[in-house]
Amino acid sequence: MFFKKLAEDTGTNARAGILYTDHGEIETPIFMPVGTVGSVKGIYHRDLKNDIDARIILGNTYHLYLRPGLQILKQAGGLHKFISWDRPMLTDSGGFQVFSLAENRKLTEEGCTFRSHIDGSKHIFTPENNVDTQRIIGADIIMALDECTPGDATHDYARKSLSLTKKWLERGIRHFDETEGLYGYRQHFFPIVQGCIYPDLRREAAEHAASFEREGYAIGGLSVGEPTEKMYEMIEVVHPILPEDKPRYLMGVGTPANILEGISRGIDMFDCVMPTRNGRNGMLFTWDGIINIRNRKWADDFSPIDIKGRSFVDKTYTKAYLRHMFIAGEMLAAQIASEHNTAFYLDLVREARKHIYAGDFSSWKNETVKRLETRL
């Protein structure tokens, strides 16, 4: 068994469960810190494990394929060994990164030809070699190659894009099932449900993906420019179609409020660069709301970064000190803020799990979302 559902909230579609992988168990709902090139920016692996207690992190196929490259990763015995991480990992296929290179890529039924953002060299991802690449990287959960359509795509463009994604999915699944992992543990393959903001296309994509009876399903192409309410609507469209006994992964989302709203709509897994990216720029997510730590008002505030926070940095550093570090241009500022935000996101999903088990998730979520969106 890959996923076991253990509890459901009576007022929403929220549920709690466990993902079983050969590198460890993952309680859901879960937030997965993004380690694009093999590191969660600014955070030691020691702190990811011992303080933040991240159960799973991400790597990105596009970036790892280009640098350090497949030869190095294979020689190292896979990404786990290369970066000294013994817990589960997930890799995105790199589709989002490739398709964001609008002027440097070309799509055909065969695959996607693109030029490296590093040196301009030419490469191609096909559904088959993308599986092979993720086999070499060695993540526990790997994604299908897809096209991520922009949030403002026309229905005609989104329909053609979905047709291509469906063909690629069929080829990717076939190749995955005909090959084996390289390092002696199981890998799991997730289709990605696309369809932009169009309910008919989302339903078509979800039905097609569900027909393959995979271990889990991702929902992609959201939080890419469409209104937030449209994102929630698309989750609600695919919810009754995707198998209830399999995990759902909402890719690249999002704010703390987005995550709680996603959980209430049946999502089990999330990832986003926001904790570290926004942290490096001085934005802190706390249980009382959002802080711009560069503001003058924090200069003589000697309270903890987050009074309700449970991480090492929350217990150790004050708002005044962290502001001083940012104003002084110290790299430690970005590290502290990134660790705080990542720890907060993990605490957020832990609290959500507790309230799902307790049976009061709906009321807790409604009250918490209002507080989390407050600008302090």
Side-chain angles (χ1 to χ4, degrees), residues 197-214:
I197 59 171
Y198 303 106
D200 61 323
L201 299 183
R202 286 286 174 178
R203 280 191 287 269
E204 177 184 336
E207 290 168 356
H208 181 255
S211 71
F212 294 101
E213 300 183 352
R214 306 311 299 189

Side-chain angles (χ1 to χ4, degrees), residues 10 17 50 71 94 101 103 120 122-123 140 166 168 180 184 191 198 216 221 262 266 293 297 324 344 348 355 364:
T10 55
N50 299 333
Q71 182 178 354
L101 303 171
E103 297 180 359
K122 190 175 181 180
H123 306 268
D140 301 84
K166 288 166 62 177
W168 285 357
E180 296 183 359
Y198 303 106
I293 199 64
K297 67 185 293 185
H324 165 63
F344 172 79
L348 182 68
H355 287 279
W364 172 81

Side-chain angles (χ1 to χ4, degrees), residues 1-52:
M1 181 179 292
F2 176 66
F3 176 68
K4 184 177 182 180
K5 185 172 65 175
L6 298 177
E8 294 179 282
D9 178 61
T10 55
T12 68
N13 289 319
R15 73 257 193 92
I18 298 179
L19 289 170
Y20 297 93
T21 79
D22 288 357
H23 280 102
E25 298 177 1
I26 307 160
E27 291 184 278
T28 63
I30 188 66
F31 177 79
M32 304 177 287
V34 177
T36 302
V37 298
S39 69
V40 178
K41 286 186 183 295
I43 306 178
Y44 285 113
H45 287 34
R46 171 198 65 200
D47 298 329
L48 276 173
K49 292 178 66 173
N50 299 333
D51 184 31
I52 298 171

